[in-house]
Amino acid sequence: MLVSKNRGTSLLRSSEKSSLLRFLALYFILVTMILLLLGVFYYQSQEKLMFSNQKTILSEYANKQVKALKQLHNNFPNHVAIYPRSDKYRSAIYDIEGKKIFSLLKHDTEEDIRFESGIYRVGNTLHFVKILDDYYLGTKYLIIEVDEDMTWYKETMSSILAFGTLTLIVLIIFGLFFVGIFLRPMRNSIMLLDNFIKDTTHELNTPISAILANVEMMDTSVLSDRNKKRLSRINIAAKTVSHLYQDLTYLTLSHNRKSKDEWIDMKKLIEDRVEYFAILASAKKITFELDLKESAIFIDGVKIARVLDNLISNAIKYNKRNGKIYITLRKNYLQVQDTGIGIKSKKVQEIFERYTRFNTSEGGFGIGLNIVKSIIDEYNLKINVESVVDVGTTIRIDFTKGTLDG
Amino acid sequence: MVKKIILLGVVCSTVLGADEPKNIYEKNCIPCHRYAPASLEKLFMVYLKSYSGELSVKGAIKAFLKNPTESDSKMNNTFIENFSVKDKTTLTDEELEEAIDTYWELYNVRKKLK
């Protein structure tokens, strides 16, 4: 199986991404709301200004109309009287009881007319109401109507859009800058931990290698059964530390090294790793059930070994005593199933987070599955986790992308 | 001869009928105001300018006619000094309202504005 590599694996952890996205979303919403609010205030102020300007003009029209009404009132003809008209405005007159005397308005339904002094908008027109002290022709309310000049609206909306967009862009740039500052403490703490692990790792290598080499070389035939057990415990402890060392080394040193991809016989690799972990599994009386078919993938040997080691190691670590580990290998997938404590469904998505541990009674830094995920992502493989509390966990890796080598 | 008598009768009744007051307004208002310096039409415009609405104008006229006072009168001071304020109306409320309605309809500006 040939697998393609995903070099774009993000350096940000999902929690960092999540924090980043939440902060940006919150920031964007707040900034947009503030800008909208400012836009509304600006619009209202411009509208008030327009009303104020129009009020002055309409007030002059009203005074002119009152003069004409007065003249008509004082010289009212016997039969037909021509109501005073103007090209600049339309008008209507209402009596003290709100009854229409005469109207040239476009909008003069009951809903359109307000009997209070001032200016208001009706449809696309403006109404100005003047209350008369002398009721010429019975007029208490004189209403002047003009079509609304929408120039102010277009200019205001253009200003709001232009200024709003520009401000939004500037504030987003500021926001991105602030995000860097916002995430810096989190990054610093992670870097501090990484550096600590990196420094510690160097000091582990030599003593572990020495312990393991000497344990392997020991002549167990001369040892008593008690001492054989003790040696076995030393071996288990050393291998556990060795596994941790391998993870830490991978995480801190090998992660950025150039991959040496080659064809890996998965069946052989699994059998090797199962043999390596057999002594750890036997300590908890865990047995392996292997169902392996021939399969090979084109991948870095160190990396796929880290994947396998971590899956098997976790299956042992979180298994019950006398439990079982089923390993299934097919041409297109690998599956590791344990009979362990399981994980709550809500927590399943978090198991790939670095430093996440679901059982503090077990050892480890919580980096194993994070390494698995980073390798899986790098090679565009697909990983699926199914878990039932107190029943067990099944992790399946699909070699979905790539070319079958036969 | 009979024909001439009938024709004379018809002509006389037509001529006499034309001058006869047709309603309460004409019978009770016009005879006096005909000689007043302010015409009923001018007086109507004065009321309209002061009270605006139909109900207000009619109400004000009715109130004044039932209880005329110098302060409520719309006539100028010279007229009042010469002729004093008019006497209270002898018409009933219904007759008074009918006369005022006729007056309103006659000079209502709404119908005349074009």
Side-chain angles (χ1 to χ4, degrees):
Chain A
M1 177 77 55
L2 193 69
V3 286
S4 61
K5 285 171 71 174
N6 175 15
R7 299 254 178 224
T9 304
S10 175
L11 293 172
L12 281 175
R13 296 175 69 209
S14 64
S15 60
E16 283 182 65
K17 275 185 186 171
S18 169
S19 302
L20 182 75
L21 285 173
R22 280 179 197 170
F23 175 82
L24 279 176
L26 186 69
Y27 180 79
F28 184 76
I29 290 166
L30 282 173
V31 163
T32 310
M33 279 174 70
I34 290 167
L35 285 176
L36 276 175
L37 207 64
L38 286 174
V40 169
F41 286 147
Y42 180 69
Y43 178 87
Q44 284 176 342
S45 72
Q46 289 300 105
E47 192 178 39
K48 268 186 191 171
L49 186 67
M50 179 277 292
F51 273 132
S52 174
N53 292 338
Q54 285 295 317
K55 198 173 174 180
T56 311
I57 296 166
L58 295 184
S59 183
E60 282 174 22
Y61 291 163
N63 290 336
K64 199 175 157 190
Q65 189 69 10
V66 170
K67 275 184 190 171
L69 289 174
K70 183 180 178 182
Q71 201 173 3
L72 183 63
H73 181 97
N74 292 335
N75 303 295
F76 201 81
N78 285 330
H79 302 293
V80 176
I82 302 299
Y83 180 82
R85 286 164 167 79
S86 170
D87 296 336
K88 293 175 183 170
Y89 60 87
R90 297 172 293 278
S91 67
I93 50 177
Y94 287 79
D95 68 19
I96 201 166
E97 291 142 20
K99 286 183 184 167
K100 183 163 61 182
I101 299 170
F102 190 82
S103 172
L104 294 169
L105 303 184
K106 274 186 189 173
H107 301 101
D108 64 353
T109 61
E110 263 185 47
E111 294 78 38
D112 296 335
I113 304 300
R114 292 182 207 166
F115 296 113
E116 53 193 54
S117 183
I119 189 167
Y120 61 93
R121 181 185 283 120
V122 182
N124 56 351
T125 62
L126 294 175
H127 279 188
F128 175 76
V129 182
K130 184 177 175 70
I131 298 174
L132 275 60
D133 295 325
D134 289 323
Y135 310 141
Y136 301 117
L137 304 178
T139 306
K140 167 80 175 174
Y141 305 101
L142 167 65
I143 295 165
I144 302 291
E145 183 185 77
V146 288
D147 292 328
E148 190 177 355
D149 180 6
M150 297 306 283
T151 315
W152 76 272
Y153 176 81
K154 285 170 193 163
E155 282 174 2
T156 304
M157 289 312 281
S158 304
S159 301
I160 289 173
L161 278 175
F163 180 75
T165 311
L166 192 71
T167 313
L168 193 65
I169 290 167
V170 170
L171 288 176
I172 283 174
I173 292 167
F174 271 110
L176 289 170
F177 172 72
F178 286 130
V179 163
I181 295 171
F182 181 72
L183 288 179
R184 197 171 293 160
M186 198 193 286
R187 280 176 185 274
N188 286 346
S189 62
I190 291 168
M191 275 177 67
L192 197 69
L193 192 58
D194 280 350
N195 286 337
F196 171 75
I197 292 168
K198 194 175 176 180
D199 294 342
T200 316
T201 308
H202 285 295
E203 305 303 323
L204 286 173
N205 190 20
T206 314
I208 292 168
S209 301
I211 293 166
L212 282 172
N214 283 292
V215 166
E216 292 293 327
M217 286 189 294
M218 269 187 111
D219 183 4
T220 52
S221 61
V222 295
L223 293 175
S224 64
D225 285 348
R226 258 177 104 180
N227 282 340
K228 274 184 187 172
K229 274 190 180 175
R230 283 174 185 154
L231 188 66
S232 171
R233 285 189 201 123
I234 291 169
N235 198 5
I236 290 167
K239 280 188 171 174
T240 307
V241 178
S242 174
H243 171 68
L244 188 61
Y245 166 77
Q246 296 290 339
D247 276 351
L248 293 174
T249 307
Y250 176 82
L251 196 71
T252 57
L253 303 173
S254 305
H255 189 64
N256 293 323
R257 78 177 174 86
K258 197 176 177 184
S259 295
K260 291 174 186 164
D261 294 347
E262 57 188 326
W263 287 107
I264 302 292
D265 182 345
M266 287 299 289
K267 186 180 176 187
K268 188 171 179 300
L269 182 67
I270 291 167
E271 284 167 349
D272 283 351
R273 301 325 293 164
V274 166
E275 191 185 336
Y276 178 81
F277 281 103
I279 196 157
L280 264 78
S282 65
K284 285 175 83 175
K285 294 191 167 47
I286 293 165
T287 52
F288 285 96
E289 295 279 338
L290 304 182
D291 176 11
L292 309 175
K293 303 277 186 204
E294 290 298 329
S295 178
I297 59 172
F298 194 72
I299 198 166
D300 186 288
V302 173
K303 291 181 178 175
I304 192 65
R306 293 310 330 127
V307 171
L308 263 176
D309 281 7
N310 276 301
L311 294 183
I312 296 170
S313 164
N314 277 351
I316 295 169
K317 200 186 288 179
Y318 298 110
N319 215 328
K320 294 169 188 165
R321 287 189 74 80
N322 298 309
K324 288 197 171 187
I325 296 170
Y326 302 94
I327 301 178
T328 309
L329 178 69
R330 294 289 181 270
K331 195 179 279 183
N332 292 322
Y333 72 89
L334 161 70
Q335 184 173 286
V336 179
Q337 183 181 0
D338 66 46
T339 53
I341 55 172
I343 309 158
K344 287 177 184 172
S345 56
K346 282 190 286 184
K347 299 278 183 184
V348 166
Q349 290 305 314
E350 294 174 26
I351 64 171
F352 298 114
E353 294 287 326
R354 192 182 292 185
Y355 311 126
T356 300
R357 286 158 59 203
F358 290 94
N359 189 340
T360 48
S361 65
E362 299 295 336
F365 288 107
I367 54 175
L369 286 176
N370 180 254
I371 291 171
V372 171
K373 186 71 165 67
S374 71
I375 296 167
I376 293 293
D377 286 347
E378 187 183 345
Y379 284 91
N380 281 319
L381 301 173
K382 190 182 163 193
I383 190 162
N384 184 50
V385 182
E386 285 178 8
S387 189
V388 179
V389 175
D390 290 332
V391 175
T393 304
T394 304
I395 298 182
R396 175 173 158 148
I397 296 171
D398 283 290
F399 319 135
T400 49
K401 292 183 179 174
T403 310
L404 284 173
D405 69 327
Chain B
M1 184 64 189
V2 175
K3 272 186 179 178
K4 281 182 181 176
I5 291 168
I6 292 169
L7 188 65
L8 187 66
V10 170
V11 171
C12 286
S13 65
T14 308
V15 172
L16 289 171
D19 290 337
E20 265 183 30
K22 291 170 186 168
N23 53 44
I24 300 166
Y25 165 75
E26 288 182 7
K27 195 175 165 185
N28 294 276
C29 307
I30 291 174
C32 295
H33 278 279
R34 183 177 288 162
Y35 305 106
S39 69
L40 276 164
E41 187 183 357
K42 291 282 177 200
L43 213 49
F44 181 87
M45 296 308 277
V46 171
Y47 267 98
L48 199 58
K49 187 181 160 190
S50 301
Y51 297 99
S52 176
E54 182 180 351
L55 296 175
S56 311
V57 169
K58 285 178 177 177
I61 295 172
K62 187 180 173 184
F64 176 74
L65 293 177
K66 285 181 77 174
N67 186 25
T69 60
E70 199 179 318
S71 59
D72 291 341
S73 174
K74 298 295 174 193
M75 302 305 257
N76 61 40
N77 291 339
T78 316
F79 180 87
I80 291 170
E81 277 167 18
N82 289 332
F83 301 100
S84 79
V85 181
K86 75 179 284 301
D87 294 331
K88 281 184 183 181
T89 182
T90 54
L91 296 173
T92 64
D93 273 6
E94 288 74 28
E95 287 170 331
L96 197 55
E97 282 166 12
E98 194 183 324
I100 294 169
D101 285 346
T102 309
Y103 183 46
W104 174 265
E105 287 303 314
L106 194 62
Y107 297 111
N108 183 8
V109 296
R110 284 171 170 80
K111 292 180 178 175
K112 295 176 183 174
L113 281 172
K114 297 290 174 196

